[in-house]
Amino acid sequence: MNIQIFGASKSFDTKKAERWFKERRIKYQYIDVLSKGLSPREYQSVKQKVGFEALVNTKCRAYEDLFMAYITPQAREETLLEHPELYAAPIVRNGRDATVGYCPEVWSTWE
């Protein structure tokens, strides 16, 4: 397994995801999504698995400040790539598989 956790340091779900993998002694790579974001390729891979709507945190202040609900779909994707604070956390990847949020029932099926 090649686990990557894209998370925010203040996100409780990110901390829970890290704890879940630590308790099972599964190695993972932590990436701070707020400072690094996702590369366009990583973004496309995750979006293909979970969909665009799951990637966006509609409850964050940046969502309203950037008028995400009112812009075109193309502009929404560009804005998401430019503003990593819009990502829902954590985004957990295992190769081509991905989840958004705390999903231990899915992670336990990964090999």
Side-chain angles (χ1 to χ4, degrees):
M1 274 196 288
N2 187 19
I3 304 293
Q4 290 180 313
I5 299 176
F6 294 89
S9 59
K10 293 183 180 180
S11 164
F12 290 113
D13 282 346
T14 299
K15 291 175 185 175
K16 284 171 38 180
E18 286 187 89
R19 189 178 324 114
W20 191 89
F21 286 105
K22 280 180 187 173
E23 287 172 353
R24 284 148 186 81
R25 295 190 179 108
I26 299 171
K27 291 183 180 180
Y28 63 89
Q29 176 187 15
Y30 174 78
I31 297 126
D32 184 20
V33 77
L34 297 177
S35 63
K36 304 275 192 223
L38 269 76
S39 73
R41 249 191 190 167
E42 289 169 331
Y43 165 73
Q44 289 298 332
S45 171
V46 173
K47 186 181 100 172
Q48 191 173 17
K49 275 293 182 188
V50 299
F52 177 80
E53 297 301 322
L55 284 171
V56 180
N57 181 3
T58 58
K59 295 179 176 107
C60 71
R61 177 175 286 184
Y63 184 83
E64 292 177 13
D65 292 346
L66 296 167
F67 304 104
M68 287 289 286
Y70 307 105
I71 58 178
T72 64
Q74 177 68 28
R76 291 177 81 195
E77 287 197 28
E78 291 172 11
T79 305
L80 183 62
L81 286 170
E82 292 170 8
H83 298 277
E85 64 271 15
L86 288 168
Y87 286 111
I91 300 168
V92 182
R93 289 182 61 203
N94 178 23
R96 294 179 186 253
D97 293 325
T99 62
V100 176
Y102 183 70
C103 306
E105 63 281 350
V106 175
W107 303 334
S108 60
T109 64
W110 289 351
E111 293 182 7

